[in-house]
């Protein structure tokens, strides 16, 4: 420690006196060097795309939002291809879903059937293959589509994060 004179004010606020205090910084740019450059905030769309590279996600906004299409693999299961909106940093290695009850499968005749699970199969940079299980009445090889049936539906593609 160095002995020195300190100057301040007597009406200052201690922002660290309570764990409930919040301190916010916005539009902060930290650079190496002695010359500062202008701060230019990212466009919202660009920033969203950057985030989607690390955690591809599909959130339902309605009760009939499509998730993916594919074909039946027997009477009770189907393979589906789910496209990504933005190519991930690396292909995901798993999925997390809100609940199986938030999805339903449509058969080629248009009749819905509930499912009991969505299982990760594999993925690349363009999309992911999932296996839907627990349906009834499907015909092997026929086309199927899985839709969200709840506004609470969500699927997260994990493994692309740092």
């Amino acid at each position: 420690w160095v002995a020195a004179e300190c100057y301040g004010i007597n009406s200052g606020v201690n922002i660290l006196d309570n764990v409930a205090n919040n301190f916010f910084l916005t539009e902060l740019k930290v650079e190496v060097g002695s010359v500062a450059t202008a701060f230019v905030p990212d466009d919202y769309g660009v920033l969203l795309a950057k985030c989607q590279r690390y955690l591809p996600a599909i959130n339902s906004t309605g009760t009939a939002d499509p998730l993916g299409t594919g074909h039946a693999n027997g009477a009770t299961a189907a393979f589906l291809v789910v496209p990504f909106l933005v190519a991930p940093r690396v292909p995901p290695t798993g999925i997390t879903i809100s609940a199986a009850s938030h999805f339903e499968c449509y058969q080629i005749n248009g009749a819905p059937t509930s499912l009991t699970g969505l299982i990760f199969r594999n993925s690349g940079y363009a999309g992911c293959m999932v296996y839907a299980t627990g349906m009834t009445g499907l015909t092997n090889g026929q086309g199927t589509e899985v839709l969200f049936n709840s506004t609470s539906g969500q699927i997260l593609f994990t493994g692309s994060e740092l």
Side-chain angles (χ1 to χ4, degrees):
W1 296 95
V2 176
E5 291 184 39
C6 296
Y7 298 95
I9 58 174
N10 64 1
S11 62
V13 176
N14 181 358
I15 63 169
L16 302 176
D17 69 341
N18 189 310
V19 294
N21 289 347
N22 295 312
F23 180 74
F24 298 98
L25 292 175
T26 183
E27 296 187 5
L28 176 70
K29 182 177 179 181
V30 179
E31 296 180 307
V32 175
S34 60
V35 178
T37 59
F39 176 79
V40 180
D42 282 337
D43 174 73
Y44 178 78
V46 171
L47 190 58
L48 177 61
K50 287 179 180 179
C51 292
Q52 288 173 329
R53 292 186 64 230
Y54 294 96
L55 182 62
I58 300 174
N59 297 300
S60 175
T61 58
T63 58
D65 289 346
L67 176 65
T69 59
H71 69 276
N73 183 38
T76 62
F79 288 106
L80 304 165
V81 175
V82 180
F84 295 139
L85 299 174
V86 174
R89 183 183 68 86
V90 296
T93 57
I95 60 172
T96 300
I97 63 171
S98 51
S101 62
H102 293 159
F103 305 88
E104 62 188 2
C105 181
Y106 279 80
Q107 305 168 65
I108 198 162
N109 65 3
T113 179
S114 59
L115 54 96
T116 59
L118 287 173
I119 302 166
F120 176 84
R121 296 289 293 175
N122 57 39
S123 70
Y125 291 99
C128 178
M129 181 174 282
V130 297
Y131 194 59
T133 60
M135 287 91 64
T136 59
L138 300 180
T139 302
N140 190 36
Q142 287 193 340
T144 59
E145 179 180 27
V146 169
L147 301 154
F148 290 98
N149 64 8
S150 165
T151 56
S152 299
Q154 179 184 65
I155 182 168
L156 302 175
F157 299 91
T158 59
S160 294
E161 60 274 358
L162 294 177

